[in-house]
Amino acid sequence: MALDEKILDQLAAHLENCQLKREDTPKVTDTYPDMSWDDAYAVQDRILASKLAKGSQIAGYKAGLTSHAKMKQMGVTDPVFGFLVSEYIVPEGGEVKVSDLIHPKVEPEICFVTRTELKGPGCSIATVLAASDVVLPGIEVIDSRYRDFKFDLKSVVADNTSAARFVVGGRAVDARSVDLRTTGVVLEKNGEVVALGAGAAVLGHPAAAVAMLVNHLGRRGKSLPAGSLVLSGGITEAVAVQAGDNVTLRVQGMGSVSVRFT
Ligand code: 0L1
Ligand code: MG
């Protein structure tokens, strides 16, 4: 660790506060340019611990920046990993209040639900598929706490990878019954197609993102529990939304899921 415990505590409190008060902030590496990867994930861990202490429950995990479209959009080169908690859940067809967020964007994702525990290192696409129960469509609502979405990778990890809300729905299908590489997705905003792609945009196969998450957890002495929901990452670039928008994600063979912004 490059930063001491007190600074890690302060950074976690600051970023969680920004999320709760809907206030943006310059990226944390402006003040702490020597922040290490361990420091960044330690800040994220502290935000999770604070939320659990206040009564939240873990609702799932996420991989972010897993497609070239997303990496190019944000000017970064590697995936990142974060957590989802109960208050981020939006029911299918439900609403997100834009005034609860800073500058929300939506991402079309394929979500996995695991059946058995997964442990890294050595987790592969095949291991993930063997351990998965179902896959289903999901819309992630991201909301970086950084001003104008300007960040570097360590800052975004500390900020729990911009996690804010998510909705899953449509039709859950057996993870082994579909070729997720060629599964097409269409994202619509107010009835207009705003982005489209196929599962292979995520690291060649969406299960590769889950395997990377598991190997990342393994390096940190953790595992992915059985029954976990995992958002495998945006297949396209993220799309900005505002109050009044209706967003629908259609995934080939898995129906559709929607969310409204008010
Ligand atoms: O889920 C994601 O891909 C988001 C990762 C964080 C970067 C961003 O805010 O766009
Ligand atoms: Mg995402």
Side-chain angles (χ1 to χ4, degrees):
M1 298 270 187
L3 304 181
D4 69 31
E5 300 277 323
K6 199 170 144 215
I7 291 171
L8 296 174
D9 288 344
Q10 283 169 357
L11 289 176
H14 172 63
L15 287 169
E16 190 185 10
N17 215 26
C18 287
Q19 182 228 318
L20 296 173
K21 294 191 164 160
R22 296 120 212 167
E23 286 171 5
D24 64 8
T25 179
K27 65 184 192 301
V28 289
T29 49
D30 287 354
T31 316
Y32 297 104
D34 296 334
M35 172 183 264
S36 68
W37 286 107
D38 283 345
D39 291 329
Y41 279 105
V43 171
Q44 189 190 110
D45 285 348
R46 280 164 165 75
I47 296 173
L48 174 59
S50 159
K51 291 189 180 303
L52 296 179
K54 287 184 283 207
S56 305
Q57 287 153 351
I58 290 257
Y61 301 82
K62 61 167 282 190
L65 301 168
T66 51
S67 70
H68 289 300
K70 256 308 283 206
M71 289 185 204
K72 189 169 164 220
Q73 181 182 36
M74 305 319 297
V76 295
T77 49
D78 292 289
V80 289
F81 307 99
F83 65 82
L84 304 167
V85 281
S86 36
E87 63 265 34
Y88 298 172
I89 300 172
V90 180
E92 188 167 6
E95 96 181 26
V96 172
K97 257 172 88 179
V98 169
S99 58
D100 287 346
L101 302 171
I102 302 166
H103 42 197
K105 295 183 185 178
V106 289
E107 300 188 327
E109 309 214 4
I110 291 176
C111 308
F112 288 71
V113 180
T114 60
R115 195 165 22 85
T116 54
E117 185 186 22
L118 275 163
K119 282 186 184 163
C123 186
S124 64
I125 293 174
T127 333
V128 170
L129 291 176
S132 290
D133 190 355
V134 292
V135 286
L136 73 171
I139 300 170
E140 184 182 17
V141 182
I142 54 166
D143 191 40
S144 175
R145 271 51 72 168
Y146 296 120
R147 196 155 300 150
D148 303 322
F149 271 87
K150 289 207 170 72
F151 49 66
D152 54 15
L153 280 173
K154 287 173 187 164
S155 295
V156 88
V157 164
D159 184 33
N160 188 28
T161 67
S162 311
R165 301 284 187 277
F166 69 95
V167 51
V168 296
R171 190 161 58 248
V173 302
D174 185 324
R176 288 163 299 278
S177 71
V178 275
D179 182 351
L180 291 173
R181 295 167 301 181
T182 55
T183 298
V185 308
V186 176
L187 186 69
E188 295 172 3
K189 187 167 85 169
N190 306 325
E192 302 274 333
V193 174
V194 287
L196 73 173
V202 171
L203 300 172
H205 192 302
V210 183
M212 274 187 94
L213 165 70
V214 171
N215 291 327
H216 158 80
L217 291 172
R219 278 192 294 280
R220 307 191 72 229
K222 300 177 185 182
S223 64
L224 184 69
S228 291
L229 172 74
V230 181
L231 274 55
S232 62
I235 290 170
T236 70
E237 70 281 7
V239 174
V241 286
Q242 56 188 17
D245 285 341
N246 288 296
V247 174
T248 297
L249 170 63
R250 302 183 193 282
V251 179
Q252 186 180 9
M254 300 182 209
S256 64
V257 61
S258 299
V259 62
R260 289 178 294 120
F261 291 86
T262 56

